[in-house]
Amino acid sequence: MSNSAIRRIDVQGIRNLSCTQLAPSEQINILFGTNGSGKTSFLEAIHYAGLGRSFRSPRVESVICTDLAEATVFIELVSGSSIGVSKSRPGSHTLKLRGERQSSWLDTARSLPLLLINSDSFSLLEGSSKVRRKFLDWGVFHVEHDFAASWRGASRCIAQRNLLLKSRHIDERQVDAWSVELSTYADRIDHSRSQYLQRLLPLIEDTLAHLLDVPELTIKYSRGWDEGSPLLELLRGSLDRDARYGATQIGPHRADLQIRIGKFRAEDYLSRGQQKLLVIALKLAQGRLLTELSGGSVIYLVDDLPSELDAPNRVKVCRLLERFDSQAFMTCVGENDLDTGWSSGTSMRKFHVEHGKMSAFSSSSGMT
Ligand SMILES: Nc1ncnc2c1ncn2[C@@H]1O[C@H](COP(=O)(O)OP(=O)(O)OP(=O)(O)O)[C@@H](O)[C@H]1O
Ligand SMILES: [Mg+2]
């Protein structure tokens, strides 16, 4: 079993989870409970520990339990490593990895690779290009350790360049200096993204074949500036336009993926349930690739899998999750909503979530 799997989680003060502990299975974990019981909040707590932010609110303060002054999440991994994070309101967070204070979330995110599948995942198809860049960059970040530095470098250049473009009298020499630096980072980012996608595509195709029978899927990457022309040349040629917008109009911050089924955009052609299956295939493929390239394994946070999926499709997803041997935390409302589809050898734990408390649940159906 993967070293990145979670062995123990303690959550205090995240939304309605005032104080709860969990010793999960290293494979499949099902959290069930009524609306408002705290299932999504538990996934949010894991997400917060891994990435320093919630997937529901832009401000992490809003996840702190209204009755408490502080939120704390402690995670112990199978590898023996640990992550501890606490946040008071107002105030900065304290983050520890293996007991050592961290000034950024980079190493923590690497030791806890999380893939979230929830109702917002549809935005991978129908949302802005930013969502698809995030998808791509998640994968590149986890397989290429220099990527974060290139990405930060490019962001800094774009911010500085934009600042100059907004000024009344534009200093062209300074703009050019940032353009030169930006194009160096941009080439690295483009190379990493397109290499990653080349590796990912066959896995997406294979994973999707287990879930959905649709005409040919194509995923085309556009890097954010014209193919065949160096970015620097294009930036130099577009100074007037950029000055009009007061912002850099081309570059790696404009990259996108066109996801099509046959000749149609995926979101225009597929039903809602089929879109969900496609998004799941995209994310599962990322998890598989990470395992192939780094030997590590991801943790899937799957919020409300049953919604939009009929029973046979739920079973297909469950089968894939257990086959890829990752740890998963899956939520559903009913006690038996996710009971079918598991092999007898799968290690599974079920937890009942009630009023912000979790309790291990065993049923007569053979769950342990
Ligand atoms: N900052 C907060 N402090 C305390 N409670 C909060 C806070 N924010 C939200 N809540 C409450 O926490 C509860 C748990 O919400 P959560 O979204 O986790 O429920 P859920 O089990 O996922 O429900 P559903 O099945 O409807 O998705 C809700 O009752 C919500 O109102
Ligand atoms: Mg929920």
Side-chain angles (χ1 to χ4, degrees):
M1 182 44 62
S2 150
N3 276 345
S4 15
I6 295 173
R7 184 157 52 196
R8 201 187 103 206
I9 319 175
D10 292 0
V11 181
Q12 283 177 37
I14 297 277
R15 299 209 188 262
N16 71 336
L17 307 172
S18 51
C19 181
T20 194
Q21 292 90 32
L22 204 82
S25 155
E26 289 171 26
Q27 230 178 333
I28 304 295
N29 295 281
I30 296 176
L31 317 176
F32 72 92
T34 52
N35 294 143
S37 54
K39 306 176 297 294
T40 304
S41 303
F42 190 78
L43 303 188
E44 223 178 351
I46 300 176
H47 195 271
Y48 173 49
L51 292 161
R53 57 189 148 79
S54 156
F55 53 80
R56 285 202 282 195
S57 316
R59 287 177 62 254
V60 84
E61 281 77 9
S62 62
V63 309
I64 302 176
C65 177
T66 43
D67 299 340
L68 298 172
E70 194 180 55
T72 308
V73 184
F74 179 80
I75 288 184
E76 194 183 295
L77 302 178
V78 169
S79 63
S81 185
S82 65
I83 297 164
V85 57
S86 59
K87 171 102 181 83
S88 56
R89 182 176 353 99
S92 59
H93 61 253
T94 308
L95 173 66
K96 286 188 180 172
L97 178 63
R98 292 179 286 273
E100 307 239 331
R101 280 285 278 265
Q102 305 289 303
S103 54
S104 93
W105 240 279
L106 281 184
D107 290 336
T108 314
R110 271 201 193 98
S111 33
L112 196 66
L114 300 174
L115 277 171
L116 173 72
I117 297 169
N118 66 356
S119 55
D120 288 341
S121 302
F122 289 104
S123 60
L124 197 46
L125 304 178
E126 61 193 16
S128 73
S129 60
K130 188 176 173 186
V131 187
R132 288 177 290 280
R133 279 195 299 279
K134 264 176 83 176
F135 166 80
L136 204 50
D137 291 349
W138 181 95
V140 188
F141 168 79
H142 280 286
V143 299
E144 226 183 82
H145 282 199
D146 293 342
F147 182 73
S150 304
W151 194 88
R152 264 202 316 265
S155 303
R156 194 185 65 240
C157 293
I158 293 164
Q160 293 295 333
R161 197 174 180 273
N162 289 351
L163 212 63
L164 292 168
L165 290 167
K166 284 185 179 67
S167 60
R168 191 185 281 264
H169 300 292
I170 293 174
D171 182 336
E172 291 192 22
R173 207 177 44 82
Q174 275 199 49
V175 173
D176 198 63
W178 287 113
S179 304
V180 171
E181 203 175 327
L182 171 59
S183 51
T184 306
Y185 286 123
D187 285 341
R188 281 186 215 153
I189 292 171
D190 169 43
H191 180 73
S192 302
R193 283 174 173 165
S194 60
Q195 287 252 305
Y196 176 76
L197 191 65
Q198 285 315 312
R199 288 162 158 165
L200 185 65
L201 284 174
L203 291 179
I204 293 175
E205 210 170 290
D206 180 74
T207 312
L208 190 65
H210 289 91
L211 293 175
L212 200 55
D213 184 18
V214 284
E216 196 193 352
L217 170 83
T218 51
I219 301 184
K220 195 168 160 277
Y221 163 69
S222 52
R223 62 181 182 170
W225 67 98
D226 280 354
E227 294 296 330
S229 304
L231 179 62
L232 184 56
E233 195 179 291
L234 296 171
L235 285 171
R236 283 176 172 158
S238 60
L239 186 61
D240 286 347
R241 185 192 56 192
D242 284 357
R244 259 198 325 278
Y245 285 103
T248 308
Q249 298 299 300
I250 49 170
H253 58 306
R254 289 296 166 98
D256 199 359
L257 295 172
Q258 279 97 44
I259 305 175
R260 291 182 171 268
I261 299 289
K263 60 182 191 313
F264 299 101
R265 286 163 18 143
E267 71 273 31
D268 292 340
Y269 182 83
L270 298 177
S271 75
R272 203 74 181 148
Q274 289 174 324
Q275 286 182 41
K276 183 158 178 168
L277 292 171
L278 173 55
V279 167
I280 289 172
L282 293 170
K283 301 243 174 164
L284 291 179
Q286 282 199 306
R288 289 176 68 185
L289 185 56
L290 187 125
T291 306
E292 269 185 22
L293 295 178
S294 73
S297 164
V298 304
I299 296 171
Y300 290 100
L301 305 178
V302 189
D303 201 13
D304 200 6
L305 181 74
S307 73
E308 269 111 6
L309 293 187
D310 58 32
N313 280 327
R314 287 178 207 174
V315 171
K316 284 183 197 165
V317 175
C318 294
R319 283 262 142 88
L320 284 182
L321 278 169
E322 65 183 359
R323 193 171 138 193
F324 301 148
D325 211 18
S326 293
Q327 190 177 38
F329 293 85
M330 310 168 74
T331 73
C332 56
V333 173
E335 179 189 323
N336 307 115
D337 288 356
L338 290 173
D339 273 0
T340 44
W342 305 106
S343 311
S344 55
T346 297
S347 156
M348 178 189 298
R349 284 193 195 146
K350 241 175 162 182
F351 300 91
H352 189 193
V353 190
E354 281 176 296
H355 308 297
K357 298 267 179 229
M358 333 268 289
S359 48
F361 180 87
S362 61
S363 73
S364 53
S365 59
M367 306 274 172
T368 54

